[in-house]
């Protein structure tokens, strides 16, 4: 039984090892980014549908998430190659520098990339995406600091460079679900349209109009 298990693992490794070598590594990193971001959106939409049974699944939205996630793959591929060349080794100080640079440079870039890319694919234009990114930046960035430093310490200290992007794309399923929520929550949370005024403000407005009619 043990021998059969080993033979199975050897056969499996024969197929997956080429995916992490040479030109195939870039393809693997690109597709894994798209797959995981779209899966995160699938999970988020499932949650939304449980809260609102009348809601239907938006496959176009999931497709846009796949496209944006795939577009990030090449950037991450070459970003980690550059980091490993500039900061060589696995000393704690070196790993800490990698994590810091990744947080200060790559995280804001990828955040802007996400919101601008989604807005462009939705047909709203990049300026609206930029405005949305600015409005949500600090919420996004604070959450980013809660998740990524620890995850990247593991990445840079324990893993070979060829596995970095796939590791990030895999462990971020929860993060991808959060990104989908952050991007689309305006159409999910409130029962009333965003343009509705609070009840107190509506009452004061009505009272003012009533006084004007009397005058």
């Amino acid at each position: 039984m043990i021998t059969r298990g080993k033979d199975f693992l050897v056969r499996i490794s024969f197929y997956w090892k080429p995916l992490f070598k040479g030109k195939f590594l870039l393809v693997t990193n690109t597709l894994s980014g798209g797959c995981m971001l779209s899966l995160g959106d699938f999970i988020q939409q499932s949650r939304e549908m449980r809260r609102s049974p009348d809601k239907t699944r938006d496959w176009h939205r999931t497709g846009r998430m796949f496209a944006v996630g795939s577009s990030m793959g090449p950037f991450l591929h070459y970003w980690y190659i550059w980091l490993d060349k500039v900061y060589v080794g696995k000393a704690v100080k070196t790993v800490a520098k990698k994590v810091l640079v990744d947080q200060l440079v790559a995280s804001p870039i990828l955040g802007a990339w996400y919101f601008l890319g989604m807005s462009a694919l939705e047909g709203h234009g990049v300026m609206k995406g930029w405005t949305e990114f600015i409005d949500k930046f600090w919420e996004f960035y604070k959450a980013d600091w809660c998740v990524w430093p620890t995850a990247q310490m593991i990445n840079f200290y324990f893993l070979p460079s060829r596995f970095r992007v796939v590791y990030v794309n895999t462990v971020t399923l929860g993060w991808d679900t959060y990104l989908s929520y952050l991007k689309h929550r305006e159409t999910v949370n409130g029962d009333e349209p965003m343009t509705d005024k609070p009840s107190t403000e509506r009452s004061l407005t009505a009272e003012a109009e009533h006084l004007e009619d009397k005058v």
Side-chain angles (χ1 to χ4, degrees):
M1 188 69 179
I2 296 178
T3 304
R4 290 182 180 178
K6 288 183 178 179
D7 290 340
F8 176 75
L9 292 176
V10 170
R11 290 178 184 178
I12 291 296
S13 66
F14 175 79
Y15 291 104
W16 67 260
K17 280 185 177 180
L19 298 177
F20 295 91
K21 294 181 180 179
K23 61 182 180 181
F24 292 107
L25 180 58
L26 177 59
V27 176
T28 300
N29 291 337
T30 299
L31 293 180
S32 63
C35 288
M36 297 311 293
L37 195 57
S38 60
L39 181 57
D41 180 70
F42 182 89
I43 293 173
Q44 175 58 26
Q45 287 200 51
S46 298
R47 295 174 56 193
E48 295 169 8
M49 292 169 67
R50 284 196 297 270
R51 291 198 299 265
S52 303
D54 295 336
K55 181 180 174 62
T56 58
R57 188 174 298 280
D58 186 351
W59 290 107
H60 293 289
R61 167 178 147 180
T62 303
R64 291 190 292 268
M65 296 284 281
F66 175 83
V68 172
S70 295
S71 71
M72 294 177 179
F75 172 81
L76 288 172
H77 176 86
Y78 292 108
W79 170 251
Y80 289 130
I81 290 176
W82 179 83
L83 271 184
D84 288 334
K85 286 183 178 179
V86 174
Y87 302 99
V88 181
K90 294 188 176 182
V92 174
K93 186 176 180 180
T94 301
V95 172
K97 288 180 180 178
K98 283 185 178 181
V99 172
L100 183 61
V101 172
D102 188 68
Q103 286 297 117
L104 295 178
V105 178
S107 290
I109 290 176
L110 290 172
W113 193 320
Y114 172 73
F115 283 101
L116 268 64
M118 288 296 295
S119 182
L121 291 178
E122 290 170 349
H124 301 314
V126 294
M127 289 307 300
K128 183 175 181 180
W130 178 254
T131 301
E132 184 179 9
F133 172 65
I134 295 300
D135 289 341
K136 298 178 179 179
F137 173 75
W138 286 115
E139 181 180 355
F140 158 83
Y141 202 43
K142 285 186 290 186
D144 191 279
W145 273 93
C146 292
V147 173
W148 283 107
T150 301
Q152 293 292 49
M153 286 290 290
I154 296 172
N155 189 6
F156 295 134
Y157 190 80
F158 292 104
L159 297 181
S161 58
R162 65 182 181 275
F163 295 132
R164 297 210 193 288
V165 178
V166 171
Y167 162 81
V168 166
N169 290 335
T170 301
V171 301
T172 58
L173 182 57
W175 178 253
D176 293 336
T177 304
Y178 167 74
L179 287 179
S180 178
Y181 159 77
L182 186 63
K183 175 70 180 72
H184 302 103
R185 68 180 174 188
E186 291 88 351
T187 60
V188 174
N189 288 342
D191 292 328
E192 297 182 350
M194 291 181 64
T195 54
D196 281 4
K197 298 178 182 180
S199 58
T200 302
E201 185 177 348
R202 287 199 299 267
S203 299
L204 291 175
T205 302
E207 184 177 348
E209 292 174 351
H210 181 66
L211 290 175
E212 288 179 359
D213 291 339
K214 284 187 174 181
V215 174

